[in-house]
Amino acid sequence: MSKQQYDLVIVGAGAGGLIAAGFAVKLGARAALVEKDRIGGDCTWIGCVPSKALLKVAKIAHHVRTASQYGIMSQAPVTDMTKVHEYLDGAIQQIYKPTTPEALRQKGMDVYLGPARFADKESIIVGDQTLRSKHFLITTGARPYIPPINGLDCVPYLTYEHIFDNKRLPRSMIVVGGGPIGAEISQAYQRLGCQVTVIADRL
């Protein structure tokens, strides 16, 4: 098992980890970035990037549907969710491209892919590598909260981790939660032609 020495090891390569690693390198520190899943985290893959791309698609559908108020006559838009999914994936790949492991290594940081575990207060193990460091920064993000709703486990449902992979526009949808993602998904799907109901304590 090989050993590497760093000034800073960052566990989690989402938005926070990427910013921290880039800043550390600019300050002259030897930095390592560790990620067990996908570099870019929630924001790139299942958060801000696909949600903003979906909002753009929905805004276009809304403009087509309401064009007559500007004197432009058009037919009601028909949503092809397979094509929408392709557009979202293209937006994601465009943002991901400068954060691939190869691109990050060119910027001066080391990248390790795989789950990490602490061996002691000064080292972690990733695969067959032991990373020793003066400092560690944990930026491992979050998971979706599944509310304790009776019967929820008996019906098909999606969280924000999977909604952007959807390739079929449902006739109706209930969105539980009125935070940023819930509100954006609700607005987008309503504009795309789905009847949306939002259930939330507050928006």
Side-chain angles (χ1 to χ4, degrees):
M1 183 177 288
S2 63
K3 295 184 179 181
Q4 302 290 337
Q5 182 69 47
Y6 294 96
D7 299 308
L8 175 66
V9 170
I10 300 162
V11 181
L18 288 168
I19 291 170
F23 189 60
V25 168
K26 286 182 180 179
L27 293 177
R30 187 163 188 230
L33 194 59
V34 180
E35 174 57 51
K36 74 172 183 177
D37 191 10
R38 299 182 293 191
I39 293 175
D42 281 8
C43 187
T44 297
W45 299 96
I46 53 176
C48 6
V49 174
S51 72
K52 299 307 181 289
L54 183 63
L55 284 174
K56 179 178 180 179
V57 174
K59 186 175 183 179
I60 291 171
H62 175 70
H63 283 324
V64 172
R65 189 176 289 112
T66 59
S68 61
Q69 67 182 325
Y70 303 103
I72 306 297
M73 301 302 122
S74 64
Q75 295 181 340
V78 176
T79 301
D80 183 337
M81 285 302 292
T82 300
K83 294 290 188 183
V84 171
H85 179 264
E86 290 174 3
Y87 173 76
L88 300 187
D89 188 58
I92 290 169
Q93 293 303 323
Q94 183 178 2
I95 296 298
Y96 173 65
K97 189 174 181 179
T99 63
T100 62
E102 297 76 18
L104 295 176
R105 289 177 183 126
Q106 289 178 359
K107 294 177 182 177
M109 62 193 80
D110 288 348
V111 179
Y112 297 88
L113 301 177
R117 62 183 176 87
F118 276 91
D120 54 52
K121 66 180 182 179
E122 295 181 344
S123 60
I124 64 171
I125 297 174
V126 184
D128 60 355
Q129 302 273 348
T130 297
L131 313 182
R132 298 182 60 80
S133 181
K134 300 174 184 177
H135 305 283
F136 294 90
L137 178 62
I138 310 298
T139 59
T140 50
R143 294 185 179 92
Y145 170 70
I146 307 300
I149 300 173
N150 289 337
L152 183 60
D153 57 342
C154 300
V155 299
Y157 68 88
L158 299 172
T159 68
Y160 68 85
E161 289 183 316
H162 304 105
I163 187 65
F164 299 111
D165 291 327
N166 183 38
K167 297 178 182 178
R168 183 182 66 85
L169 184 69
R171 285 183 296 177
S172 62
M173 175 189 291
I174 294 175
V175 175
V176 180
I181 291 288
E184 288 177 349
I185 292 298
S186 300
Q187 180 187 15
Y189 268 77
Q190 182 73 37
R191 284 183 159 184
L192 290 174
C194 173
Q195 180 59 55
V196 178
T197 301
V198 181
I199 300 174
D201 293 333
R202 60 186 180 277
L203 291 177

